[in-house]
Amino acid sequence: MKKILVANRGEIAIRVMRTAKKMGIKTIAVYSEVDRHAPHVKFADEAVCIGPAPSSESYLKGDKIIEVAKSLNADGIHPGYGFLSENADFAELCEKNDIIFIGPRSKAIKMMGDKLAAKDAVKDYNIPMVPGVDHAVTDPDEAIKIAREIGLPILIKAAAGGGGKGMRIVEKEKDIENQMKRAISEATSAFGDGSVFVEKYVTSPRHIEIQIMADTHGNYLHFFERECSVQRRHQKVVEEAPSVILTPELREKMGQAAIDVARSCDYVGAGTVEFLMDADLNFYFLEMNTRLQVEHPVSELISGVDLVELQINVARGEALKMKQEDLKINGHALELRVYAEDPMNDFLPSVGNLETYQLPVGEDIRVDNGFEEGMDIPIYYDPMLSKLITYGKTRNEAIQLMIKAIDNYHIKGVQTTLPFGRFVCEHEAFISGNFDTHFVKNYYSPSLLESKHKAEAEIAAKIALKQYLKDQKLLRLPN
């Protein structure tokens, strides 16, 4: 593989290109008109505009991307995450055009992309499942019957997608019909498929996921777990590896379960198997993401591997050189997704110009970044600016370094999740490890963040006044 096209934008495009360049592979960037001057365009060896700003007219145009790849003699296409990364038709289109899709085969993407098909595929491996049904439900009466069997609360969930869309938690039987209609409507709008299924809602859940890698020679590896329980609107904001609650025995059990999920669909490449864990440390299969995850850096830091490099090696037919026993957890890593969102206003997107944009630097601080000072935040895409990752020998070291890195990340012009990240890192529930996916609901409010800001500002003002008075006193002293 001498040249690859990266079918993405922002920080993930640059992340993939860095590894490709390290491996001596040329890179091609694709970009929309609004991204003409974006950093990923400058970073690549070649770059081609593929259409107007909306992703439906640019980054989601699979046929156009294939056309560019063929015209510039690309050997492979890396989809990053989002956009076409879990599009089975696009993976198939690459295969038909003799271009290597740096990801799983289309069959696995299709199977794991449908949550009901995924549940069906893994049932022969005795992987724990959340109580519920394994078929699409459209009749509210049937949903009520299921709820009576498995007990409330229940979760109504879109079969064809994720990201919190088409998902409803229902605590009372009288609300099932209305919430089901809303879930079906949202799922149809978001994924073009209104299929929903019903399962028991796990109270106080933790979101634990396992990073796996598989090659074409029948080798499967897992790179331990990530804790992704700090979320807003069912989407992750803070991730870490490893999890504070897993014992070595539980880690091994979950790792093997993740590998079995991968085996169930003849998986190839990097993937993530997601589990829910209840308060008694019982874990349940949730879904498989058939791509590189946003939070993959924390796994890289604790295991000492470059997952993108392994993806490329596997895609060109190489066997994984390491064995499971070679992999060991070393230290602790933390990631904060730096979104252009306002944590004081329900995390709504904050568009504007990056008047100031200065990244923190230092040992064990990594920033996977896609923006530069002076750039506007496009309204057309996910509002993530970068990922701030810190590493320490211990969890506490990683947390303290994250607080320091947040303080040295200077952004003006838009609101970001940086203050929220600091709030999380300083909260007793997070520090103790005693938290779940309800962290935001249970502990966070804009007024708490505001009062914290005020208290810090008052302390800073008192320190400054004390120093000023000290300086004045020194100036008045006779020579």
Side-chain angles (χ1 to χ4, degrees), residues 20 133 237 284 306 356 474:
V133 293
V237 192
Y284 306 98
D306 181 332
T356 300
L474 285 170

Side-chain angles (χ1 to χ4, degrees), residues 23 214-217 219 309-310 312-321:
M23 297 172 75
D215 62 22
T216 53
H217 304 270
N219 298 307
E309 185 176 351
L310 290 181
I312 293 170
N313 288 340
V314 162
R316 55 188 181 190
E318 294 179 22
L320 290 164
K321 292 182 172 64

Side-chain angles (χ1 to χ4, degrees), residues 182-219:
R182 290 178 68 182
I184 289 169
S185 171
E186 201 172 294
T188 305
S189 173
F191 312 115
D193 180 349
S195 304
V196 298
F197 62 99
V198 178
E199 62 185 25
K200 176 81 175 164
Y201 178 65
V202 178
T203 53
S204 302
R206 295 190 66 138
H207 188 128
I208 310 279
E209 59 188 33
I210 307 283
Q211 174 69 57
I212 66 102
M213 183 74 70
D215 62 22
T216 53
H217 304 270
N219 298 307

